[in-house]
Structures are given as structure tokens and as C-alpha cells.
């Protein structure tokens, strides 16, 4: 696995916290890499750069993935500097955690922009260069909610369903055109990153530690897997939905596993104090 990452340039969005940050820390510790870290919180990125600069060459940019012009500007800069990523890891994401009718229009727009469209824009900004080079890996963080609806997650689930559909279609396109560019879709259940503070783990679907999913990502990307799914039961959700009548599936998910009540006590990540 270590040899796979050596001498690769890796772009990570949402790199100031959660999965993005931990992925940067772990890959820098095991391989000789160049890291391009993007996040809308440049102060946090500077701290991470200072933390990792003894392990890796680190480039940071305060990029909001909802800003198409900023994405293209930064992409053009790195392309000019011959730093086209070998691996793009799209980790930027948000969750509102309300019933759909309680969402504001701006919350709906922002969720889809960050969780779905932002990942598309980041991949698109570098894709021509990756195709011309004949190698690359695009890694998109989806969610088990892209398989199954859930109260208080309607917009989040919609955005992650879109990520799964886009990732699958993009993978097929790249294979059909024989570009050498692969696509990996990461499909986890709830993760203890702070973004889902307060959720109640469904029965047989334990909350994942950040290190657990990052380790699976490091292994799966190195093996160029199409999908990385965790915990184990997530792998069976599409099959269960296909086999069971919808009322029975809802009973199993809602009453037996408790999935539909998992967001009832949701709090989410606390905003940082500006003091």
C-alpha cells in the first residue's frame, strides 16, 4: 500500500477537519507525497501545513467548493506548476439535520452545492489533464444515506444519492474511453467526525471512528476499488431494498434497526467561537 502512494500528488477538499484532515495526516505519515489541501477555513489549513510540513510537501488554498471561479483559478495555478493531482479526494460536506419543510432555500442550495456540485467542479477542473496523462484516481465521499432515505436527512440524502450516481457514471465513462482514470466511491454510515454529533447508531450499524474509515480508504484507493463501504451491513442495503416489499423494508429499517430514528437527537458540529 505504501508504495502506491509514494511520489503522488494528492488533492483533498474539506481538509481542515474530519475525514479530509485525518486522511492527509495518515497518508503523509506512510508515504512520500505532495499534498494539496483545500478548505474554506484557511486558518485551520495553516495549522495543518505547519503540522505536516516535516513529513510532506504541503500546499494549501482557502477554497470554498461552492465557488466555481475560485476552483478553476486554483486548478489553473497548480496545473501551471505541474502539480496535477494523481488522486483527488472529495471530502467537503455538510448536513443540516432538519425535516425538509424546515430547511431554508439557502440551506437546500448550500447542501447540494457543497456535497454534490462542488465535487463535480473540483474533478472537472483537473480531469482533462488527468486524461491526457493517462492516470489518476477520483475519490468521492458519498454516504449510506445515498442508499436509504431517512427523516431529517432528505436534502443530505439527495445530495449523496447524486454523488453515487455521478461517480458510477463517471467511472463507466472513464473505462469506456480507456482513459486510465479510476473512480472510487466511499459509502459509509455515520462517522464520529463531529458533523453527526448526537446521532444514535442504528442496531448492527455502529458509529465509525474516523481512523476506521480513513484506513479503509487508504487500502481501498490503493487497490483501486470501485466502492468502499462500511460498516459491514451497509453492503447489503441495496439488496434488501431490491428483495423486500417497501413496507417490510421500512419496518426493518425503522423498527428493527432504528435507522429512521437515528437523527432524532442530532446536534451536529458546533460552530467555532470567533473570540
Amino acid at each position: 500500500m505504501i508504495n502506491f502512494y509514494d511520489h503522488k500528488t494528492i488533492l483533498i477538499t474539506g481538509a481542515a477537519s474530519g475525514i479530509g484532515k485525518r486522511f492527509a495526516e495518515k497518508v503523509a505519515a506512510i508515504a512520500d507525497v505532495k499534498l494539496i489541501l483545500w478548505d474554506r477555513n484557511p486558518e485551520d489549513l495553516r495549522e495543518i501545513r505547519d503540522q505536516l510540513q516535516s513529513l510532506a510537501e504541503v500546499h494549501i488554498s482557502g477554497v470554498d467548493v461552492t465557488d466555481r471561479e475560485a476552483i478553476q483559478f486554483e486548478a489553473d495555478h497548480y496545473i501551471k506548476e505541474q502539480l496535477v493531482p494523481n488522486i483527488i479526494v472529495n471530502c467537503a460536506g455538510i448536513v443540516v439535520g432538519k425535516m425538509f419543510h424546515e430547511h431554508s432555500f439557502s440551506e437546500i442550495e448550500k447542501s447540494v452545492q457543497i456535497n454534490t456540485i462542488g465535487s463535480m467542479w473540483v474533478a472537472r477542473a483537473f480531469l482533462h489533464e488527468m486524461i491526457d496523462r493517462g492516470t489518476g484516481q477520483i475519490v468521492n465521499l458519498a454516504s449510506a444515506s445515498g442508499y436509504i432515505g431517512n427523516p431529517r436527512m432528505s436534502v443530505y440524502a439527495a445530495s449523496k444519492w447524486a454523488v453515487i450516481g455521478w461517480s458510477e457514471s463517471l467511472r463507466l465513462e472513464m473505462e469506456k474511453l480507456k482513459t486510465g482514470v479510476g473512480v472510487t466511491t466511499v459509502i459509509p454510515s455515520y462517522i464520529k467526525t463531529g458533523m453527526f454529533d448526537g446521532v444514535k447508531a442504528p442496531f448492527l450499524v455502529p458509529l465509525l471512528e474516523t481512523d476506521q474509515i480513513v484506513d479503509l480508504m487508504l487500502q481501498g484507493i490503493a487497490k483501486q476499488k470501485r466502492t468502499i463501504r462500511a460498516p459491514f451491513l451497509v453492503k447489503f442495503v441495496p439488496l434488501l431494498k431490491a428483495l423486500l416489499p417497501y413496507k417490510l423494508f421500512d419496518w426493518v429499517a425503522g423498527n428493527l434497526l432504528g435507522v429512521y430514528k437515528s437523527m432524532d437527537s442530532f446536534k451536529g458540529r458546533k460552530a467555532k467561537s470567533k473570540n
Side-chain angles (χ1 to χ4, degrees), residues 29-102:
I30 65 171
D32 179 12
V33 295
K34 295 178 182 178
L35 296 176
I36 301 172
L37 307 181
W38 286 5
D39 199 280
R40 56 183 174 177
N41 298 308
E43 292 183 5
D44 292 341
L45 286 180
R46 284 191 284 270
E47 292 181 11
I48 298 168
R49 180 188 58 192
D50 293 344
Q51 172 191 341
L52 298 180
Q53 62 184 357
S54 63
L55 299 174
E57 180 181 322
V58 182
H59 304 265
I60 62 172
S61 298
V63 177
D64 185 333
V65 296
T66 67
D67 188 337
R68 183 176 59 190
E69 292 183 357
I71 290 171
Q72 194 61 60
F73 178 84
E74 292 296 332
D76 290 343
H77 164 71
Y78 287 112
I79 291 168
K80 184 178 179 181
E81 296 295 318
Q82 298 185 332
L83 284 171
V84 176
N86 301 101
I87 303 169
I88 295 174
V89 186
N90 281 309
C91 289
I94 62 167
V95 61
V96 174
K98 298 178 181 177
M99 295 294 188
F100 179 72
H101 68 279
E102 297 173 335

Side-chain angles (χ1 to χ4, degrees), residues 141-189:
L141 190 64
S143 167
S145 66
Y147 283 158
I148 178 172
N150 197 11
R152 301 183 186 273
M153 294 187 77
S154 58
V155 178
Y156 182 81
S159 70
K160 294 302 185 178
W161 283 34
V163 169
I164 292 173
W166 165 58
S167 299
E168 180 69 6
S169 300
L170 177 61
R171 178 186 63 78
L172 292 169
E173 290 174 356
M174 295 296 99
E175 290 177 359
K176 183 175 182 179
L177 297 173
K178 299 179 180 179
T179 64
V181 177
V183 180
T184 298
T185 312
V186 184
I187 308 174
S189 185

